Amino acid sequence: MRISAYLMALALLAPVVAVHAQESETATYKVDFTIRDTGDAGGKAGRKYTLMVNRNVKSSFKIGNRVPIATGASSTGVAANTQFTYIDVGLNIDCLVAERGPKIAMHADLDVSTAVMPEKTSAVPNPTISSIRLNIDTTVDPSKPTVIASFDDPVTGRKFDVEVAISKI
């Protein structure tokens, strides 16, 4: 009798254990960002950046250069002794995804920066840093490319679109 009661309890708990195991396993998503420069004929196809992201875990993507900025000279006044600070420019993406019913919720921080070098006749030899920062919270349909941001660059006047496609792996 005890064995049959034990087996019955086990049969009742099996679906609960299976559901809990599915919830605790880590889901992985492929997140494709496409950034299009619609003001440039060559940029209309866009640049594509892909991240593999685990559910509820922030992932980061960083690509770019370090630009030297002259911050001071030594007391000798010799150009070779000039002191520099380096600034990172390029593309930084921080991304977090989670399931929300049939859709996928995403939080993304994007930072796109470039260094604009001064003309040789400029009295200031350091570049100007142009930066665009986006903080996005949205929900998208899985595997469906969706424009999540569209903006005009106030420095160049060019129009940019940011598209994302997220698919569960």
Side-chain angles (χ1 to χ4, degrees):
M1 186 97 147
R2 285 185 177 194
I3 294 176
S4 64
Y6 177 73
L7 290 174
M8 186 182 309
L10 199 59
L12 290 172
L13 289 175
V16 173
V17 171
V19 167
H20 179 63
Q22 287 175 350
E23 289 176 356
S24 65
E25 59 183 63
T26 302
T28 302
Y29 301 85
K30 179 182 175 191
V31 182
D32 292 315
F33 286 91
T34 304
I35 301 176
R36 290 189 182 83
D37 178 352
T38 60
D40 178 20
K44 288 187 180 180
R47 297 209 181 264
K48 190 173 187 177
Y49 306 94
T50 300
L51 291 97
M52 299 301 283
V53 178
N54 287 333
R55 177 180 52 212
N56 296 324
V57 177
K58 182 176 104 172
S59 294
S60 296
F61 179 93
K62 298 179 186 292
I63 186 170
N65 294 310
R66 299 194 64 152
V67 176
I69 305 291
T71 55
S74 69
S75 59
T76 63
V78 178
N81 294 329
T82 301
Q83 297 172 356
F84 290 94
T85 297
Y86 290 84
I87 297 178
D88 293 328
V89 296
L91 174 69
N92 295 328
I93 300 173
D94 292 326
C95 183
L96 180 76
V97 296
E99 292 178 27
R100 295 289 181 259
K103 296 192 176 209
I104 298 175
M106 179 191 73
H107 171 80
D109 291 315
L110 286 87
D111 183 356
V112 182
S113 59
T114 57
V116 179
M117 300 308 289
E119 296 179 18
K120 292 195 183 236
T121 59
S122 174
V124 180
N126 288 329
T128 300
I129 306 299
S130 172
S131 180
I132 297 170
R133 294 186 178 147
L134 303 171
N135 182 302
I136 300 167
D137 286 298
T138 190
T139 305
V140 298
D141 290 319
S143 301
K144 181 181 177 187
T146 306
V147 175
I148 59 171
S150 183
F151 57 91
D152 293 328
D153 183 344
V155 175
T156 65
R158 297 185 351 212
K159 183 178 188 287
F160 290 87
D161 290 329
V162 179
E163 180 181 278
V164 70
I166 305 172
S167 53
K168 190 172 182 179
I169 303 294

